[in-house]
Amino acid sequence: MPFSTVFDQLFTVWAAIAGGVFVLVTGIVLVAVLINRAKRRRKLPFRASENKPVELGYVVVLAGIVAALFYGSYQANSALNHGKGLAAETTTPAARIDVTAYRWCWDFAYQSAPVTVTGTCTTNDFPTVVVPAGQPVEFNLTSRDVVHAFWLPDFAAKRDAYPDHVNTLRMVFPEEGRWRGRCSEYCGTHHVTMDFYVRAVSPAEYQQYLDSGGAAV
Amino acid sequence: MTTTAGRSTPTEPRPGVKAGSVVGWLASTDHKRIGLLTVGTSLVLLLVAGGLAMAMRAQLTQPQLEVLSNDLYNQFFTMHGSMMIYMVMTPFAIGIGLYLVPLQIGAPNVAAPRTTMLSYWLYLTGAVVMLSGFSADSGAADHGWYAYPPLASSRYTPGQGVNLWIIGVALSSLGMLLMAGTVLWTVLLKRARGMAMLRMPVFSWSIVATNLMVIGAFPTLLVAVGILAGGRVYPDMFTENIWNIGYQHLFWFFGHPVVYVMFFPFVGAVAEVLATFAGRRFFGYKFLVLSLLLFAALSMSVWGHHMFTTGQAASNYYSLTSIMLVIPAGIEYFDMLATVVGGRLRFTTPMLFALAFLPQFLIGGLTGIMVGTPALDYQMQDSYFLVAHWHYTLAAGSLFALFAGVYFWFPKASGRMLREGLGKAHFWLWVAGTNLTFLPMFWLGLNGMPRRIPTYLPRDGFTTENLIATIGAGLLAVGGLVFIANVVVALRRPHQAPPDPWQAHTLEWATSSPPPTFNFSERYPIPPIRSYAPLLDLREQEQSSRAEAG
């Protein structure tokens, strides 16, 4: 499943649970603040300082909540192949792209054609990586110097780029369009401008792009 | 032996040294003085770290401002985080334990007082060394508070700032390790007669759990910064992945327990404040003690949730252990809420801070479940969502609880009352300021703002939230000044605080304010200890005997 679909579904559920708990706890505090003021009460509402059956029962409830939350977390993480995105066994990527992060920009190299994209990540010179829309794309992320992170905020996808290590990120860009990507692991002075763009085009245009050696499409 | 009967209580611990002089303080072996030095130093450094945060908020008020250069901004966020974590919250947490635990368990002093004194010197030296980075040509360290290699190696961050940072962290962490050890030793071996482990106050138990984590986790930090030190000399070692990812594992093995080091003592303080101003025994004592120990144990197994996006950590395992924290945290909330629900509430300044802690920290905790869920963390990691979550736990949570504790114990430590009016002004400014500052950051993160960026563009759509956040930070600054004024006004007055101005429950309130050198004396003896709230026992006994007589 796409990162953003999984994110949206799970975030909605998690936010609803969090909202419910927050309203419940804050409500209890506010009601207690109103009705338990020392001016209004001459005696304690209740004197017990423990209640083992209630407390034990509550721990069991908490354990059930933990089980449910972890089940949701596990299912979602499995759907995302532990952060790698689409499972490799089920999908052959239509595009394999080696991504090299460095201070402070990105290189993109296509495995199936001698096409590379780069830039300086200064004013209006950000690299744009072209991908086929609707088809699986594989990014192989590495770094030439320090740790960076490849983040596509619009797709809820993020993966770190390390020197001497390759991380894989597989995803589908369902529609044609252009989106901004950013470095999200702090990497020094110009971390803030270490942006790139992903442009998804039709598979035919993508082929044309590769055949022309990376000319603009 | 732990009783003080018959022991003289000299006002000058050493002949020839005036107790009130600088030497009298810096060479003191009294746990109260070392504790106050630690706590006081950390509060002064809180001003420094807060000032750095104000400068950052000024820079981010509007897009493309040039209040700070990129490099200066990077130094500021690094030093803000490093000061807050290594030099403010952690030392305050351990230092307030040093001050209070011997009093709460009826001990005359801390075990190994000279080692404890050394630990303060190590901390102070470490803080000064780290801050001195600002005077280096290259400026202070600017690699972030967790100093990932290879960025922190001499190849990518040359200059003395990082070296001074490493030395500062190593010195102060060694100090904290020693201090945690001596306080734990005190708890185990120097309790007063009748003070069984399960009669220790909740706060003292929170310190036991804290210090256990310090002893389990801080040696790993020393190893991690040792690796960084190696990388300052041989930067080539960080061309190998194993050192980079290995550093991250070691660092977070320390880094997550330390989050709870910066949380437990403050929960303990909130528990004492809630019970005192609810006028009742804390509800669920045994479950709370168990939950603290479970929390501390689990904290050693969750570190990889900082590394979900690395592709080099078993994300499901760390998600499970992280979500399991719901159990101890849930018990703590249940017990604190039951104490409030079953109490007669008095709304003093410490009580207000403690009550606000409950919903505010909860936001940090609930969003913690989100970032502990890998599928959500792939979006939230290293974004402003994380910054918001983190500051809800530490600022809206721990810092509020810290001030609950400061307002609560200030009369005990200084012998003077703080003004309630100024305290409440501080409180309301901080409630507004904290939420205005940190709530918008959740939206900034979800809208794609990465953390640690010195500026943004108008078209990014981050402007409104950042403006609100900066306004909130301004309120926090004003609230901080109100607090300082309150302390200054109070300290200029003569001693006037009674031993127990709040009708509190624990032993420190049985002795004078401030307590004598060896804590209890013939005039202020240790009362009989039959539960975790000995002073409440006494009051209830008086009431029932009065009722019988009447």
Side-chain angles (χ1 to χ4, degrees), chain A residues 14 36-38 41 46 48-49 58 73 77 82-83 145 151 153 156 158 160 162 164 167 180 184-186 189, chain B residues 70-71 74 142 156 239 241 248 280 284 309-310 315-316 319 330 340-341 344-345 373 378-379 381-382 460:
Chain A
W14 262 218
N36 281 357
R37 280 173 292 163
R41 282 200 185 273
F46 64 93
S49 62
Y58 174 67
S73 168
N77 201 25
H82 303 247
D145 40 47
W151 185 25
K158 182 183 295 117
D160 294 353
Y162 282 80
D164 189 35
N167 268 335
R180 185 188 190 189
S184 70
E185 181 69 57
Y186 171 70
T189 308
Chain B
N70 282 12
D71 284 330
N74 296 340
D142 60 352
Y156 300 107
T239 57
N241 181 54
Q248 291 193 18
R280 80 186 314 287
T309 61
T310 63
S315 46
N316 282 333
S319 179
V340 172
V341 168
R344 285 179 74 236
L345 307 181
T373 301
Y378 299 143
Q379 170 77 333
Q381 167 72 344
D382 282 327
D460 289 338

Side-chain angles (χ1 to χ4, degrees), chain A:
Chain A
M1 270 202 285
F3 281 92
S4 50
T5 311
V6 174
F7 180 88
D8 289 344
Q9 288 174 357
L10 198 65
F11 184 70
T12 309
V13 179
W14 262 218
I17 295 171
V21 173
F22 180 77
V23 168
L24 179 70
V25 170
T26 309
I28 290 172
V29 172
L30 287 179
V31 169
V33 162
L34 285 178
I35 67 173
N36 281 357
R37 280 173 292 163
K39 281 181 195 145
R40 283 190 76 233
R41 282 200 185 273
R42 294 202 47 230
K43 288 163 78 176
L44 291 178
F46 64 93
R47 293 188 63 83
S49 62
E50 62 179 4
N51 186 328
K52 291 227 173 89
V54 170
E55 290 175 271
L56 268 177
Y58 174 67
V59 170
V60 173
V61 171
L62 286 175
I65 292 172
V66 166
L69 289 174
F70 178 65
Y71 179 76
S73 168
Y74 181 86
Q75 289 291 323
N77 201 25
S78 301
L80 296 176
N81 196 17
H82 303 247
K84 288 195 200 74
L86 305 170
E89 314 81 69
T90 56
T91 45
T92 311
R96 282 200 162 99
I97 302 166
D98 293 332
V99 183
T100 306
Y102 57 93
R103 304 209 306 168
W104 287 277
C105 208
W106 307 83
D107 284 351
F108 298 91
Y110 293 80
Q111 288 190 357
S112 59
V115 176
T116 57
V117 179
T118 189
T120 57
C121 289
T122 51
T123 319
N124 295 326
D125 185 24
F126 298 97
T128 298
V129 58
V130 177
V131 297
Q135 295 184 345
V137 179
E138 180 180 290
F139 298 105
N140 293 299
L141 308 167
T142 190
S143 165
R144 203 177 290 162
D145 40 47
V146 305
V147 186
H148 301 272
F150 179 96
W151 185 25
L152 290 166
D154 295 317
F155 295 88
K158 182 183 295 117
R159 206 86 169 130
D160 294 353
Y162 282 80
D164 189 35
H165 180 81
V166 177
N167 268 335
T168 309
L169 181 65
R170 291 191 203 88
M171 49 196 290
V172 174
F173 296 86
E175 292 158 21
E176 294 180 29
R178 185 169 177 268
W179 303 274
R180 185 188 190 189
R182 304 197 72 164
C183 177
S184 70
E185 181 69 57
Y186 171 70
C187 56
T189 308
H190 300 292
H191 165 62
V192 57
T193 45
M194 198 171 146
D195 292 355
F196 60 95
Y197 289 88
V198 175
R199 187 164 167 224
V201 297
S202 69
E205 277 178 300
Y206 174 69
Q207 199 51 49
Q208 193 188 333
Y209 171 78
L210 290 187
D211 292 345
S212 66
V217 282

Side-chain angles (χ1 to χ4, degrees), chain B residues 208-291:
Chain B
V208 170
T210 299
N211 291 349
L212 283 171
M213 288 188 296
V214 170
I215 286 165
F218 278 43
T220 320
L221 174 67
L222 294 174
V223 173
V225 296
I227 291 175
L228 277 191
R232 300 301 292 171
V233 184
Y234 306 108
D236 274 347
M237 66 192 265
F238 294 129
T239 57
E240 288 178 47
N241 181 54
I242 186 69
W243 287 103
N244 297 325
I245 198 70
Y247 172 86
Q248 291 193 18
H249 278 288
L250 286 172
F251 183 86
W252 291 118
F253 185 81
F254 147 82
H256 208 80
V258 79
V259 171
Y260 299 137
V261 168
M262 297 184 285
F263 170 54
F264 283 9
F266 304 114
V267 171
V270 165
E272 301 285 0
V273 168
L274 289 178
T276 297
F277 296 108
R280 80 186 314 287
R281 218 165 282 273
F282 188 78
F283 185 91
Y285 173 81
K286 281 183 185 161
F287 273 78
L288 186 90
V289 169
L290 263 177
S291 83

